[in-house]
Amino acid sequence: MSVKPLKFVTLLGSLRKASYNAMVARTLPKLAPEGITIEALPSIGSIPLYDADVQQHEGIPAAVEEIVKKIREADGVIIVTPEYNYSVPGGLKNAIDWISRVPEQPLAGKPVLIQTSSMGPIGGARCQYHLRQILVFLDAMVMNKPEFMGGVIQTKVDEQAGEVIEQGTLDFLTGQLGAFAAYAERVSK
Ligand code: FNR
């Protein structure tokens, strides 16, 4: 599929070093269509809990500003996250809450792709729909299909290399990135 050069950024919902979702995110640049670059956003781990008083008196935290700047510069955002307790991990929700309070909030009109992976069989599907609901309020342009839900992801990676190796998963992700590139080009016109 031929698309114009685009830059995507990944927003990771897990903080742990050996995160399977980090392995998925790390695999993406190699699978991207020609002309598409994919870079990781800074970790959400140093973002303080959202507090409107902090925002009012101290402003938006530097860690949030940095992520916001990179989102503004990107043609699309790929959210790669586990599911926690059938929903969105608190740290990711907190990051989105901060991002949503920035003037000219950067997810409005932005093409977004959601990828979830978990050790369970349904790959974080329930998180995806909660995340979609949150992103509706932010006017993000979330691609509907194809959806990637990486079930039993621990069987599809090389833990040493820290990347996805299972061929069916790689093929699916490649196809999904191609679809997202075409979608992002269409949406941002
Ligand atoms: C989980 N896990 C999990 N898995 C799932 O499929 N559905 C769920 O609702 C939950 N809930 C949940 C809550 C909490 C607090 C934790 C820590 C974990 C398991 C989860 O899929 C597994 O730990 C993944 O490995 C987490 O993703 P990362 O950190 O490997 O990217």
Side-chain angles (χ1 to χ4, degrees):
M1 198 177 301
S2 108
V3 289
K4 70 172 187 188
L6 297 171
K7 184 163 96 178
F8 297 149
V9 288
T10 51
L11 180 61
L12 182 61
S14 174
L15 303 183
R16 72 186 191 98
K17 270 202 193 83
S19 159
Y20 292 116
N21 284 278
M23 295 183 200
V24 172
R26 206 175 290 131
T27 305
L28 298 180
K30 293 175 193 167
L31 306 178
E34 208 185 322
I36 307 289
T37 57
I38 301 179
E39 288 170 19
L41 286 171
S43 168
I44 59 172
S46 62
I47 299 176
L49 283 181
Y50 181 78
D51 180 338
D53 292 336
V54 170
Q55 185 186 352
Q56 191 184 344
H57 300 298
E58 297 167 33
I60 303 287
V64 176
E65 290 284 19
E66 203 184 337
I67 289 174
V68 164
K69 179 173 181 287
K70 289 178 186 252
I71 290 176
R72 287 197 204 287
E73 289 167 357
D75 299 296
V77 177
I78 305 173
I79 301 178
V80 187
T81 184
E83 170 178 282
Y84 280 178
N85 299 317
Y86 286 13
S87 189
V88 180
L92 177 59
K93 177 63 163 58
N94 183 57
I96 294 172
D97 289 343
W98 271 112
I99 290 166
S100 75
R101 305 311 291 172
V102 172
E104 294 178 56
Q105 125 357 61
L107 289 170
K110 185 73 67 177
V112 172
L113 178 64
I114 298 172
Q115 297 181 338
T116 55
S117 291
S118 83
M119 296 174 73
I122 64 169
R126 292 158 293 216
C127 167
Q128 290 217 4
Y129 297 116
H130 283 190
L131 195 46
R132 279 180 187 275
Q133 183 180 325
I134 292 162
L135 292 166
V136 165
F137 186 58
L138 300 189
D139 290 324
M141 302 298 288
V142 182
M143 188 173 84
N144 287 333
K145 294 191 289 291
E147 300 171 301
F148 176 70
M149 291 144 183
V152 284
I153 192 71
Q154 68 278 16
T155 65
K156 297 169 179 167
V157 299
D158 176 338
E159 306 244 1
Q160 296 303 319
E163 290 181 6
V164 175
I165 52 163
E166 197 265 326
Q167 195 56 48
T169 304
L170 293 172
D171 291 345
F172 189 89
L173 288 170
T174 301
Q176 193 200 35
L177 287 176
F180 186 55
Y183 173 82
E185 191 177 359
R186 206 164 59 238
V187 163
S188 48
K189 266 183 189 158

